Amino acid sequence: MPFPLTLCTWDYVPNQWHPNRTAEVLDDMTGHGVNVFPRSVAMPPATVGEDGTLTCDWSTMDAPLAELKGRGQVLFHMAHPPLTFAKEPSPEAKRDTEIVYLHQWRNHLRELGWSYADYALYPMDEPGLEHGKRVPPFLDAAYVVFRDDPAWVA
């Protein structure tokens, strides 16, 4: 019987204690009801050429995701996509490229068999700390994901 609650232990595997026993540790975690797996390094880096062409390196995400497939939800830590531009873009061009990145990322996840029910984005940890100083960056990051763009939810 599946564990009826959502449980996240904020443990990142592999780690310094279990660098070579990932499958075994994940099996144990899943057996104890863990079904939410945060990942801070799974967002694939991308480069943007001078002509604006976006190229993503999916390999940094695909292997860790394969280890988590069928275990529960993945919680991706990402305030803004990890983009490297060949030339500095305008703020509008940067925002538009972030949206394109997210669409490509979502589509790649679909190709791997992941649906919206299998993952979530976590743009910032505890944005209410520091008397609200983190709220504007949180809202800025959330805007990239949740702006009124039908292609994101399609």
Side-chain angles (χ1 to χ4, degrees):
M1 177 174 169
F3 197 69
L5 299 174
T6 299
L7 178 62
C8 177
T9 62
W10 293 98
D11 194 5
Y12 300 88
V13 177
N15 57 34
Q16 65 185 6
W17 300 284
H18 306 291
N20 301 313
R21 299 172 58 197
T22 301
E24 182 182 350
V25 172
L26 289 172
D27 288 345
D28 187 62
M29 291 171 72
T30 304
H32 284 88
V34 175
N35 54 12
V36 176
F37 299 90
R39 290 295 176 263
S40 59
V41 295
M43 296 304 294
T47 57
V48 183
E50 290 196 27
D51 63 352
T53 302
L54 179 67
T55 305
C56 296
D57 178 7
W58 303 118
S59 66
T60 62
M61 178 181 74
D62 290 354
L65 282 186
E67 295 171 332
L68 297 171
K69 186 75 174 155
R71 296 181 184 276
Q73 295 179 317
V74 175
L75 186 59
F76 290 101
H77 296 229
M78 182 196 63
H80 287 274
L83 302 173
T84 302
F85 290 86
K87 62 180 181 179
E88 189 65 32
S90 69
E92 296 80 19
K94 180 180 179 189
R95 180 69 48 107
D96 290 345
T97 304
E98 289 178 326
I99 298 296
V100 170
Y101 172 96
L102 288 170
H103 292 175
Q104 288 185 12
W105 174 72
R106 176 211 51 212
N107 294 343
H108 185 74
L109 287 172
R110 282 183 184 163
E111 291 169 3
L112 296 176
W114 292 77
S115 72
Y116 288 135
D118 298 318
Y119 63 91
L121 289 173
Y122 191 72
M124 181 179 288
D125 190 39
E126 301 181 12
L129 292 180
E130 300 177 41
H131 305 286
K133 290 179 185 175
R134 301 167 102 193
V135 172
F138 170 76
L139 292 175
D140 183 61
Y143 175 81
V144 171
V145 176
F146 297 112
R147 94 175 202 188
D148 184 21
D149 187 344
W152 175 247
V153 295

